Amino acid sequence: SGGMLNDFLSFFEGNFPEYGDSGGGAGGGSSASIDAELAELLRSSDKAALRIECDDAEMLLQTLRNKLTSINSDIIELEIVIAPTSTIRFSERVEKEEELASCRARKK
């Protein structure tokens, strides 16, 4: 279990090194070995294992969707707080603008 999920995490870590580890990717395996595991799983007729992998991938996708929704909500809230018509203090505005920039960076 976890092969497809590990493959996705390996891809993610390979494209965003700040999230990776020095152990060669998710689960400590190399990208090539994870690709081989995924290919073997897809060639097999083990429907239960494939179902587990699909469930893991769906759970990850839902988690990412939820995180994106949360970030989008934070961005909207911060944009309202720092709108030109708001009456917040300058120091608070600077702090909220930094938070907004951080949210926008995480969204990318």
Side-chain angles (χ1 to χ4, degrees):
S1 151
M4 187 181 288
L5 181 59
N6 283 342
D7 193 49
F8 175 79
L9 291 175
S10 178
F11 166 80
F12 185 79
E13 290 170 350
N15 288 289
F16 304 96
E18 63 272 20
Y19 295 106
D21 59 24
S22 58
S30 71
S31 180
S33 70
I34 292 170
D35 288 346
E37 290 174 25
L38 178 60
E40 181 59 34
L41 179 63
L42 293 173
R43 279 193 297 270
S44 79
S45 59
D46 188 349
K47 291 181 182 179
L50 287 171
R51 181 76 257 153
I52 290 169
E53 295 303 326
C54 289
D55 289 346
D56 287 348
E58 185 59 38
M59 182 177 68
L60 177 62
L61 286 173
Q62 188 59 47
T63 300
L64 292 172
R65 285 184 194 115
N66 291 344
K67 185 67 176 170
L68 181 59
T69 298
S70 175
I71 289 171
N72 285 333
S73 294
D74 291 346
I75 288 171
I76 291 168
E77 181 181 318
L78 288 165
E79 287 174 338
I80 291 169
V81 169
I82 64 172
T85 57
S86 70
T87 57
I88 62 173
R89 294 175 302 153
F90 177 78
S91 59
E92 187 178 356
R93 180 180 302 278
V94 169
E95 180 182 312
K96 297 298 182 184
E97 286 173 348
E98 289 174 359
E99 287 181 44
L100 180 58
S102 176
C103 286
R104 287 179 174 156
R106 283 185 298 167
K107 185 176 175 177
K108 290 182 181 186

